[in-house]
């Protein structure tokens, strides 16, 4: 009923001729019914309010977003384009780590086996091994640790060679039912393609040489299995978590979060891609947070800040719910 209808009904009723009393009563009842219906609008749940807050943050940055959040205790989930296959960059090193642990379990090599750094293995980009003198000796565990906590590309190159290349990683993911998670390039092939491109932006826009591909949900499933001790086996899951808790890059998920331990892994090709996948751990609660971004051509700092704001909302919500 439009504004003024009640006043119009009142005036006509006072005239005594134009409207019968029963019709006036019907008008009043109809107005009350509509008002009641307006008052009974369902209120969003706390989880829906959290998702709305996350979406406001993502819309503040012009990028493609994929987000998957899950509380392992409560089972509450948020999925925003969570099944979109996106560029992983270095988050694909988690599946590589998993394959390494699977082969260690099978007896192909051991965490204590030694690797001697050779100059031919040196790769650019993130990491520290490239800055060591040839002949430096480290264990397989050292390689895995450096690949995760400083995203060492030389360690990644060596580990890919040890496990049998991206094909071995992909076969493992396929066997686990992860259809969209694929290792696509080793550093020694990816970096020359980047150098040969006319510009870095054109290299990214062409999209011909992804480092890896996955979805926020599939990466989240791997992390959930790790937290539940079901990834490879309990001892391997626990060790992978301990390694990931040592992550040194903390400008995304951990940026504004306090009160949680945060094992996680970043993936970088800023400003175009900024990923971070991990868990928020506190007594009595564990939350998987898997955030992928792409097609971003603005400030890398603003993108990282937005990821931090999303993680803060998630952390605050589950702290309150607990």
């Amino acid at each position: 009923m439009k504004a003024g209808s009640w006043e119009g009904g009142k005036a006509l009723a006072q005239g005594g001729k134009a409207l019968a009393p029963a019709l006036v009563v019907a008008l009043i009842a109809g107005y009350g019914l509509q008002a009641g219906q307006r008052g009974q609008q369902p209120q969003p749940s706390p989880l829906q309010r959290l998702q709305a807050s996350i979406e406001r943050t993502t819309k503040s940055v012009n990028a493609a977003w994929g987000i998957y959040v899950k509380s392992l205790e409560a089972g509450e989930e948020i999925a925003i384009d969570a099944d979109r296959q996106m560029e992983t960059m270095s988050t694909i090193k988690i599946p590589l780590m998993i394959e390494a642990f699977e082969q260690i379990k099978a007896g192909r090599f051991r965490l204590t086996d030694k690797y001697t750094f050779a100059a031919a293995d040196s790769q650019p980009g993130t990491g520290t091994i490239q800055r060591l003198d040839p002949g430096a000796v480290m264990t397989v565990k050292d390689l895995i640790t450096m690949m995760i906590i400083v995203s060492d590309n030389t360690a990644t190159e060596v580990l890919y060679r040890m496990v049998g290349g991206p094909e071995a990683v992909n076969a493992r993911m396929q066997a686990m039912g992860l259809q969209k998670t694929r290792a696509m390039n080793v550093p020694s092939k990816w970096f020359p393609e980047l150098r040969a491109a006319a510009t870095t932006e054109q290299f990214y826009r062409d999209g011909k040489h992804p480092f890896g591909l996955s979805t926020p949900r599939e990466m989240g499933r791997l992390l959930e299995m790790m937290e539940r001790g079901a990834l490879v086996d309990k001892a391997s899951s626990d060790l992978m978590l301990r390694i990931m808790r040592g992550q040194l890059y903390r400008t995304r998920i951990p940026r504004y979060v306090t009160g949680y331990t945060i094992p996680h892994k970043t993936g970088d090709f800023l400003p175009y891609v900024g990923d971070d996948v991990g868990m928020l751990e506190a007594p009595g609660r564990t939350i998987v947070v898997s955030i992928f971004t792409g097609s971003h051509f603005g400030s890398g700092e603003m993108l990282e800040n937005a990821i931090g704001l999303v993680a803060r909302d998630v952390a605050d919500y589950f702290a309150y719910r607990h």
Side-chain angles (χ1 to χ4, degrees), residues 37-56:
Q37 289 172 339
R38 286 195 296 272
Q40 291 171 9
Q41 291 289 336
Q43 295 300 306
S45 69
L47 191 66
Q48 289 171 330
R49 288 197 293 270
L50 171 61
Q51 179 161 336
S53 179
I54 290 172
E55 289 175 343
R56 281 193 296 272

Side-chain angles (χ1 to χ4, degrees), residues 207-219:
K208 295 178 180 178
H209 305 285
F211 197 70
L213 298 170
S214 187
T215 72
R217 192 189 304 271
E218 287 196 354
M219 198 65 74

Side-chain angles (χ1 to χ4, degrees), residues 53-232:
S53 179
I54 290 172
E55 289 175 343
R56 281 193 296 272
T57 298
T58 62
K59 289 173 183 175
S60 72
V61 176
N62 187 16
W65 289 81
I67 297 174
Y68 178 73
V69 173
K70 181 177 181 181
S71 164
L72 301 193
E73 289 75 25
E76 291 183 310
E77 291 186 6
I78 287 176
I80 301 170
D81 279 343
D83 298 310
R84 177 192 296 194
Q85 190 180 51
M86 302 177 71
E87 168 67 78
T88 63
M89 291 309 297
S90 288
T91 62
I92 200 65
K93 294 171 184 177
I94 294 175
L96 173 54
M97 173 174 66
I98 293 165
E99 179 59 19
F101 273 96
E102 288 281 9
Q103 294 195 19
I104 290 165
K105 181 182 178 182
R108 289 195 57 186
F109 49 89
R110 299 172 298 176
L111 283 169
T112 54
D113 285 352
K114 299 294 195 298
Y115 160 74
T116 301
F117 175 47
D121 291 333
S122 183
Q123 298 299 317
T126 51
T128 58
I129 297 176
Q130 60 183 294
R131 295 172 175 82
L132 302 179
D133 293 331
V137 178
M138 57 207 79
T139 65
V140 170
K141 183 184 176 185
D142 293 335
L143 292 173
I144 295 172
T145 300
M146 287 186 280
M147 177 179 73
I148 296 298
I149 70 171
V150 293
S151 209
D152 196 293
N153 288 321
T154 301
T156 303
E157 181 77 13
V158 174
L159 286 166
Y160 264 127
R161 186 169 67 233
M162 290 182 68
V163 303
E167 297 78 14
V169 175
N170 294 339
R172 183 73 59 186
M173 296 298 106
Q174 184 82 17
M176 295 174 67
L178 303 178
Q179 304 297 325
K180 296 182 178 180
T181 300
R182 294 290 177 268
M184 301 298 291
N185 267 298
V186 297
S188 60
K189 292 183 179 179
W190 190 84
F191 281 103
E193 294 289 353
L194 175 61
R195 286 193 294 267
T199 66
T200 301
E201 182 175 325
Q202 192 60 50
F203 175 83
Y204 174 73
R205 287 186 182 275
D206 287 345
K208 295 178 180 178
H209 305 285
F211 197 70
L213 298 170
S214 187
T215 72
R217 192 189 304 271
E218 287 196 354
M219 198 65 74
R221 283 179 58 190
L222 288 175
L223 300 177
E224 178 176 354
M225 292 173 67
M226 194 184 297
E227 283 284 357
R228 296 193 187 282
L231 203 54
V232 185

